[in-house]
């Protein structure tokens, strides 16, 4: 990374912003901070002083607004930097701006933003979705105006836009990167992820951010980090040249369009030709992932978003919020549709009847899914007791693969039409399945429920269809090294 190439990237920003709507906020001081970092004497040398990044606008920064692409946080500036932002700044990274997203991370198209949709740089002719919710973070990488971006992934929001823009999108194991300063959507799922075209860059950034943070109660603590070290994942025995790779049948759908299946098959053939072994297997609970996710995630969201009442957080609607029993209502009406949908669903899920019938059941099913994942990986899960209890490690795979997305990214007008038609009855179940925005992340959600490290890799250079490679909990480094070997 040279100073000159960094300057070139910053120069391209206005033009890319106009074309693709990548940023909620552009950092006009970026050139100044790049110059400052590069001029530091060798004693104060910062290793990433010529590296440019974009930060998703739900990760707080003290010198730029953080809005979550929502009217309700319009103009909000945090008094502190998120831990991940601070760690990057300490290494000399320059932040080019805050990237666009589906409001509060809720969506999968990159269209639910108060500043309008992000457009996909792979499709200059027809305005096409980037995928969401980390839409601006993916588009910034695809448009070559940053070296990497940070996004967040609750149910697929790093991996899906990475797939749709043909770049790499890495969601680490839950808890390895601090969530302190990441505005919560659903805190038992939210994971900071890294998007880039360069696997070396992803490894470097992960290495910097992968630290325990006492400010985040869900950050993986040092005892558990020691357990990972004790697994000796870097030993030559664990660093094989050929791996056993599981292919869950639940990730194979007969409604997958031919052009997508062909790209996936091509990728699988490449793995086989490299000597890796493909193991067909079944993880039955994968098929319940979507209902589990949409029971648990909106419940956490409804609770997290209650703080935006215009008193504690949020722009207060001055005139009307205390008239006629409408306390908070006009302020909270600033939320967009996708947020309102989740708040309503979440509050319903937490009502006593639904809590008993659905919420608790969904929590149990989440544990069942984790147990099933544990039963097929060679490595134990350091967070569960399953290593002792599970006697049925018949498959003992190193990684799992499957598609990231079930289709190509759609033109914006078609995607929006499908959102509107979501509730319409359709005679064609499979068509309805693929028309529904909630189904976009059908393949990414199981790993979010289980907190597993997952990276989306383009099936082929430039193709907007990705393959996910998944590791056991905590096996992030081996996953990245394996990825490097198959690119
Ligand atoms: N599309 C999913 C949702 O809306 C996932 C979003 C995410 O990962 N932030 O919940």
């Amino acid at each position: 990374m040279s100073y000159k190439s960094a300057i070139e990237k910053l120069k391209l920003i206005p033009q890319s912003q106009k074309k693709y709507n990548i940023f909620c906020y552009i950092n006009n001081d970026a050139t100044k901070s790049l110059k400052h970092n590069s001029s530091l004497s060798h004693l104060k040398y910062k290793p990433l002083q010529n590296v440019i990044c974009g930060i998703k606008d739900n990760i707080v920064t003290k010198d730029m607004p953080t809005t979550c692409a929502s009217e309700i946080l319009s103009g909000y500036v945090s008094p502190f930097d998120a831990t991940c932002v601070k760690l990057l700044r300490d290494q000399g990274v320059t932040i080019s701006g805050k990237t666009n997203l589906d409001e509060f991370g809720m969506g999968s198209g990159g269209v639910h933003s108060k500043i309008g949709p992000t457009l996909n740089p792979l499709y200059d002719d027809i305005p096409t979705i980037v995928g969401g919710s980390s839409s601006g973070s993916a588009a910034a990488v695809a448009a070559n105006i940053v070296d990497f971006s940070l996004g967040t992934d609750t149910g697929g929001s790093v991996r899906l836009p990475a797939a749709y823009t043909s770049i790499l999108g890495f969601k680490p194991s839950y808890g390895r990167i601090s969530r302190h300063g990441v505005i919560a959507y659903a805190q038992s799922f939210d994971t900071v992820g890294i998007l880039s075209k360069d696997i070396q860059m992803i490894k470097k950034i992960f290495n910097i951010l992968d630290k325990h943070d006492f400010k985040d109660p869900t950050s993986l603590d040092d005892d558990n980090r020691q357990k990972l070290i004790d697994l000796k994942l870097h030993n030559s025995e664990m660093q094989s040249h050929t791996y056993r790779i599981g292919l869950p049948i639940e990730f194979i759908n007969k409604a997958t369009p031919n052009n997508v299946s062909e790209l996936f098959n091509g990728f699988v053939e490449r793995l086989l030709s490299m000597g890796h072994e493909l193991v067909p297997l079944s993880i039955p609970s994968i098929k319940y992932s979507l209902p589990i996710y949409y029971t648990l995630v909106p419940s956490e969201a409804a609770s997290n978003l209650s703080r935006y009442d215009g008193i504690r957080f949020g722009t207060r609607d001055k005139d009307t919020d205390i008239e006629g029993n409408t306390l908070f209502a006009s302020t909270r009406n600033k939320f967009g549709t996708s947020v309102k949908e989740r708040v309503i669903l979440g509050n319903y899920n937490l009502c006593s009847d639904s809590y008993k019938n659905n919420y608790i059941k969904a929590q149990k099913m989440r544990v069942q899914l984790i147990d099933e994942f544990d039963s097929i990986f060679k490595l134990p899960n350091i967070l569960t007791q399953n290593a002792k209890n599970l006697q049925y490690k018949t498959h003992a795979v190193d990684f799992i693969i499957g598609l990231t997305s079930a289709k190509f990214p759609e033109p914006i007008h078609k995607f929006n039409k499908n959102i509107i038609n979501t509730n319409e009855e359709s005679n064609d179940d499979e068509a309805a399945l693929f028309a529904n925005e909630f189904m976009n992340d059908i393949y990414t959600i199981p790993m979010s429920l289980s907190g597993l490290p997952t990276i989306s890799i383009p099936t082929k250079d430039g193709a907007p269809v990705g393959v996910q490679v998944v590791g056991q909990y905590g096996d992030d480094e081996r996953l990245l090294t394996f990825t490097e070997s198959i690119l």
Side-chain angles (χ1 to χ4, degrees):
M1 291 318 137
S2 69
Y3 176 74
K4 205 165 145 233
S5 75
I7 286 285
E8 288 308 312
K9 287 196 180 79
L10 293 180
K11 276 192 193 146
L12 284 174
I13 287 179
Q15 165 190 344
S16 302
Q17 174 68 357
K18 217 158 141 199
K19 272 165 93 176
Y20 311 122
N21 202 23
I22 290 172
F23 293 98
C24 289
Y25 182 87
I26 294 174
N27 179 13
N28 291 322
D29 289 333
T31 311
K32 208 164 92 194
S33 73
L34 176 71
K35 275 192 183 139
H36 170 78
N37 283 337
S38 303
S39 65
L40 292 172
S41 70
H42 72 279
L43 285 176
K44 292 188 181 156
Y45 170 77
K46 297 186 174 182
L48 301 184
Q49 62 185 17
N50 291 324
V51 172
I52 308 287
C53 86
I55 302 282
K56 188 174 179 180
D57 199 27
N58 61 349
I59 302 178
V60 302
T61 39
K62 62 181 179 200
D63 54 354
M64 287 175 247
T66 303
T67 68
C68 290
S70 178
E71 191 59 46
I72 209 155
L73 277 179
S74 176
Y76 172 73
V77 183
S78 158
F80 64 93
D81 274 337
T83 299
C84 54
V85 170
K86 185 179 178 314
L87 289 169
L88 292 178
R89 290 199 210 260
D90 289 348
Q91 298 292 315
V93 172
T94 294
I95 299 170
S96 57
K98 304 298 289 289
T99 54
N100 202 358
L101 66 153
D102 284 301
E103 188 178 356
F104 280 93
M106 300 177 183
S108 59
V111 299
H112 302 289
S113 158
K114 75 159 183 176
I115 64 156
T118 316
L119 303 185
N120 193 325
L122 295 188
Y123 296 84
D124 272 346
D125 43 348
I126 308 168
T128 297
I129 62 159
V130 177
S133 62
S134 309
S135 54
S137 294
V141 171
N144 296 315
I145 55 173
V146 296
D147 297 298
F148 76 94
S149 296
L150 291 190
T152 57
D153 192 311
T154 303
S157 279
V158 161
R159 291 163 283 160
L160 191 65
Y164 282 168
T165 51
S166 201
I167 63 170
L168 301 165
F170 174 48
K171 176 192 90 72
S173 299
Y174 177 80
R176 289 198 69 164
I177 298 184
S178 167
R179 285 189 309 106
H180 175 67
V182 177
I183 295 184
Y185 167 7
Q187 70 276 22
S188 79
F189 296 76
D190 296 341
T191 306
V192 174
I194 307 162
L195 302 99
S196 180
K197 287 184 177 174
D198 177 1
I199 185 71
Q200 289 297 341
M201 180 60 70
I202 291 186
K203 284 172 107 175
K204 229 181 269 175
I205 301 303
F206 178 59
N207 207 13
I208 291 164
L209 302 182
D210 176 31
K211 303 212 162 51
H212 172 62
D213 180 12
F214 73 93
K215 291 179 182 159
D216 169 8
T218 60
S219 168
L220 191 68
D221 61 26
D222 287 332
D223 287 351
N224 277 310
R225 285 172 192 268
Q226 186 56 46
K227 285 188 195 161
L228 289 177
I229 296 169
D230 294 344
L231 284 175
K232 299 192 171 45
L233 298 173
H234 291 297
N235 270 14
S236 51
E237 195 190 322
M238 302 304 285
Q239 291 289 329
S240 163
H241 289 296
T242 55
Y243 288 104
R244 277 172 70 78
I245 299 170
L247 183 54
I249 51 169
E250 289 75 16
F251 282 153
I252 295 169
N253 191 317
K254 65 178 171 31
T256 308
N258 279 344
N259 47 7
V260 174
S261 300
E262 277 163 22
L263 285 164
F264 182 68
N265 293 343
F267 185 88
V268 169
E269 276 162 26
R270 212 166 80 219
L271 289 182
L272 289 172
S273 72
M274 292 168 116
H276 300 294
E277 189 185 348
L278 261 288
V279 185
L281 48 85
S282 172
I283 303 175
S285 292
I286 282 183
K287 53 181 181 294
Y288 308 120
S289 297
L290 215 59
I292 304 174
Y293 179 89
Y294 280 106
T295 305
L296 300 180
V297 165
S299 305
E300 292 186 17
S303 162
N304 283 322
L305 268 61
S306 64
R307 72 188 65 149
Y308 303 101
D309 52 13
I311 296 170
R312 289 168 294 174
F313 287 96
T315 324
R316 187 167 183 180
D317 203 278
K318 282 194 217 72
D319 302 326
T320 52
D321 72 348
I322 50 169
E323 282 169 14
N325 292 335
T326 59
L327 189 64
F328 309 139
S330 54
T331 288
R332 287 174 66 77
N333 200 28
K334 294 183 196 302
F335 284 135
T337 321
S338 76
V339 177
K340 284 180 187 160
E341 270 172 7
R342 284 161 180 79
V343 169
I344 292 169
L345 183 58
N347 280 316
Y348 170 75
N349 291 342
L350 293 173
C351 291
S352 52
D353 268 1
S354 177
Y355 183 81
K356 219 166 51 215
N357 296 333
N358 305 331
Y359 185 87
I360 291 179
K361 205 180 282 170
Q363 290 288 19
K364 287 184 180 154
M365 290 167 83
R366 185 180 189 182
V367 174
Q368 169 69 25
L369 176 67
I370 295 170
D371 288 350
E372 288 175 21
F373 270 116
D374 282 354
S375 74
I376 55 102
F377 279 116
K378 190 186 282 171
L379 288 179
N381 183 336
I382 57 148
L383 297 183
T384 62
Q385 295 304 312
N386 284 334
K388 285 185 215 114
N389 301 338
L390 292 174
Q391 301 301 323
Y392 50 100
K393 278 198 173 282
T394 43
H395 298 299
V397 298
D398 297 285
F399 305 108
I400 293 171
I401 59 163
L403 278 166
T404 309
S405 52
K407 54 184 175 177
F408 277 65
E410 285 172 327
I412 300 250
H413 68 273
K414 197 167 162 217
F415 185 81
N416 284 341
K417 200 163 134 234
N418 286 338
I419 295 175
I420 293 160
N421 288 341
T422 292
N423 296 327
E424 280 182 12
E425 299 258 329
S426 165
N427 294 331
D428 181 349
D429 283 352
E430 277 163 4
L433 184 104
F434 285 102
N436 188 335
E437 188 191 5
F438 288 95
M439 298 294 175
N440 237 335
D441 26 34
I442 189 162
Y443 294 140
T444 51
I445 279 175
M447 284 66 84
S448 298
L449 288 165
S450 323
L452 300 178
T454 309
I455 185 164
S456 179
I457 305 175
T459 42
K460 203 168 107 182
D461 252 2
V465 173
V467 169
Q468 296 181 92
V469 186
V470 187
Q472 172 59 296
Y473 183 85
D475 199 10
D476 303 59
E477 283 88 352
R478 244 172 30 119
L479 175 65
L480 294 178
T481 306
F482 170 61
T483 301
E484 194 177 356
S485 74
I486 58 174
L487 286 177

